[in-house]
Amino acid sequence: MLREKFDMTLPRFELLSALDRVTDGLTMSELSRWLMVSKGNVTGIAERLSEDGFIRREPTPTDRRSFVVTPTEKGKKAYKEMELEYEKLLDKLFNDLTPDDSDMFTGLLAKVKESVEELRGQSPE
């Protein structure tokens, strides 16, 4: 749905979603943690979003090797349009879940997230 209507992949959408939740941007390391993917993955996604004018990457004042990523106006506008469509899709997907189903699903996702975080803590990035 994102690809067909907006020419946007889910990883790119998720990066824009993470940036929508903060006001001052995020470093590449912070994005890696938020998205639970390697820094290399985030770098590739950020490069493509930057090339397409959705984000800007600027060196941090304290460490010229580190970048802060912020959305451009184009990125903010595109994200808001995509977010509405994505919410409609999620509503359709989860519409038939009972409150108990929802609670169980949320609990299972929390367990998976904990496992992923434990595994990430054990392996070098």
Side-chain angles (χ1 to χ4, degrees):
M1 183 242 357
L2 292 173
R3 185 179 299 276
E4 294 83 17
K5 189 164 184 176
F6 300 102
D7 193 29
M8 182 69 60
T9 64
L10 187 57
R12 290 170 48 140
F13 173 78
E14 288 175 345
L15 191 146
L16 290 173
S17 177
L19 293 176
D20 185 63
R21 296 179 182 151
V22 297
T23 55
D24 297 331
L26 294 167
T27 65
M28 300 297 271
S29 294
E30 291 168 331
L31 277 167
S32 174
R33 283 192 300 274
W34 274 57
L35 300 175
M36 297 186 342
V37 298
S38 73
K39 290 178 192 170
N41 284 348
V42 169
T43 299
I45 295 165
E47 284 176 4
R48 289 185 293 282
L49 284 169
S50 179
E51 289 167 3
D52 292 341
F54 292 109
I55 64 167
R56 78 180 63 75
R57 296 181 300 164
E58 299 172 348
T60 60
T62 56
D63 182 358
R64 290 283 190 209
R65 297 170 296 158
S66 180
F67 292 92
V68 173
V69 179
T70 56
T72 61
E73 286 306 314
K74 176 182 176 179
K76 290 176 186 178
K77 182 180 180 212
Y79 173 73
K80 289 301 179 193
E81 291 172 15
M82 289 182 285
E83 180 183 36
L84 292 174
E85 291 297 316
Y86 192 68
E87 285 177 3
K88 288 178 191 175
L89 174 65
L90 291 178
D91 285 344
K92 287 179 187 176
L93 288 173
F94 295 104
N95 191 40
D96 293 333
L97 293 182
T98 67
D100 286 342
D101 292 338
S102 253
D103 290 344
M104 184 172 55
F105 184 67
T106 302
L108 290 171
L109 286 176
K111 285 182 180 183
V112 169
K113 182 180 178 189
E114 286 175 24
S115 295
V116 168
E117 288 172 348
E118 286 176 19
L119 288 173
R120 285 193 56 161
Q122 295 174 6
S123 62
E125 290 190 28

